[in-house]
Every structure is written in C-alpha cells, then in structure tokens.
Amino acid sequence: QSEYKSNQNANDQYFVKVRDFLNEENVSEDVFEIFKSQFDYSEKSLNVNEETLDFQFSSLVVDKFTIDAAYNNEKLPGYVFYDKSINKPYKPIIYFPGSGSINTDSFEAGIENRLKQYSYLLSEGYALIHPIYKSTFERRDNIRSDYPDESDEYKNAVIRWGKDYKKAIDYIETRKDMDISKLSYYGVSWGGSIANILLAIDNRVKNAVL
C-alpha cells in the first residue's frame, strides 16, 4: 500500500517511502472497537473544583476548573471562556491547540489575548472550553513534538490526550449553563490533525472545525 517517490537534491538521488492513505483498507468494526477501547476509563466522580479568574475583557469571563484525570492519579485543569451578558445555556466548543502548546510553559500568561481572540465566538453565545492536555503548558513532560512516531511513549501520549479530551467533555456535561447537545470541536494545526483520532473515540461532538 505504498509507493516510492524519487527526490533530486543536487547530484544526490534518494527515495522516500510514502504511505498511500487513499488506498488503505478500513479495519473491521471489531478491530476498531479494540483500538477505541484503549481510551476507556472507569466512571468515577470528577471531583470538580471551579473558580472564576480575575481576567475580564468587557463582559467576557474565564472560569478555571480542575478535575481528576483518567490516569496516574493526576489532575486535569482547564479553562472556560464565555460572555456573561449572553443568555444561557451556552453552546460549548471543546478546543485543541496547536503544537506551540507543547513548548509553552504557562497558559494563563496569554489569557487576555485569548479572550480577545475568542470574542467573536463568545459574542454569538458559544463557550470555549480549553483543557490543559497532558504534555502541554503547565503539564509538559518528555513529549517535545506532535510529530507521530512508533514508540510506546508516543502511543501512550496519544491515549492520554484522548482520555483528557473525553474527561473534559464529561465535565462540560455537568455544567447547567451548557447545552451539551450543541457541542462542537475546534482544532487548530495539531488540533486539526489529531481530530482524526479524537472525533472517532467519542460521539458527543456534533460539529467540528479543523
């Protein structure tokens, strides 16, 4: 299911093996369910802790939440951006950032800019939920790139990202000011590519922008 492409670089000729995804066959439903089950976790209390931060731009507000992650007794923090002048319930959007988040130390340092960046959505009645996925911002670890590889470390990182994503949706469901039936996904750059996995492991998202 692959082909070799020739590349000419000065006087050196080399070949790159290219995987032809358009000709790949789909796995069976049984095999897919086995892959999908790697993102499962036991249903436990989220142990939600919430606070409204002292960041405000006009009527735009930021809440910070912390819940139990689905692995290693860790905590999963996140942020909720919304416009308090809009009638509830809000239409929630779960967000996945670009790869710059892997090499950025602090999320809160850029919150005021994010409020302005998301304001066009918030003024239309959307609430944007930004989990701090493992390996990003304050939760940085040994993962230094979003580029996939065949290591167990990368495979396990993908599983953690998927579990964080699903746990954050669990949290959205607990908020009475959110209409979970209108849940959307917004992925930028890395968030656009990893959506191929995330959107397949949870059917609660109704719309996606990549």
Side-chain angles (χ1 to χ4, degrees), residues 117-161:
Q117 176 186 350
Y118 306 145
S119 62
Y120 75 101
L121 291 167
L122 309 184
S123 65
E124 295 294 330
Y126 293 97
L128 190 137
I129 296 87
H130 192 314
I132 304 301
Y133 300 93
K134 186 68 173 175
S135 309
T136 70
F137 299 107
E138 287 82 357
R139 302 185 72 208
R140 292 173 65 190
D141 54 17
N142 293 329
I143 297 294
R144 293 290 180 264
S145 171
D146 64 312
Y147 284 15
D149 60 46
E150 296 182 353
S151 67
D152 284 343
E153 183 178 40
Y154 181 79
K155 179 195 75 172
N156 291 329
V158 172
I159 293 171
R160 288 193 294 268
W161 299 329

Side-chain angles (χ1 to χ4, degrees), residues 85-100:
S85 71
I86 300 292
N87 291 332
K88 304 176 183 64
Y90 302 111
K91 297 169 286 187
I93 300 172
I94 185 164
Y95 186 85
F96 201 104
S99 59

Side-chain angles (χ1 to χ4, degrees), residues 69-81:
Y71 48 85
N72 301 338
N73 295 316
E74 293 191 30
K75 294 293 184 179
L76 168 61
Y79 298 83
V80 182
F81 298 79

Side-chain angles (χ1 to χ4, degrees), residues 160-171:
R160 288 193 294 268
W161 299 329
K163 289 182 176 181
D164 285 347
Y165 166 77
K166 292 176 63 176
K167 272 277 191 171
I169 297 177
D170 293 346
Y171 165 72

Side-chain angles (χ1 to χ4, degrees), residues 90-95 126-129 131 165-166 168-173 178-186 198-199 202-209:
Y90 302 111
K91 297 169 286 187
I93 300 172
I94 185 164
Y95 186 85
Y126 293 97
L128 190 137
I129 296 87
Y165 166 77
K166 292 176 63 176
I169 297 177
D170 293 346
Y171 165 72
I172 295 169
E173 283 190 312
M178 304 286 169
D179 185 350
I180 193 67
S181 70
K182 296 181 179 178
L183 178 64
S184 299
Y185 174 92
Y186 183 5
L198 300 182
L199 296 176
D202 196 303
N203 61 8
R204 288 175 285 183
V205 168
K206 307 305 179 187
N207 305 285
V209 176

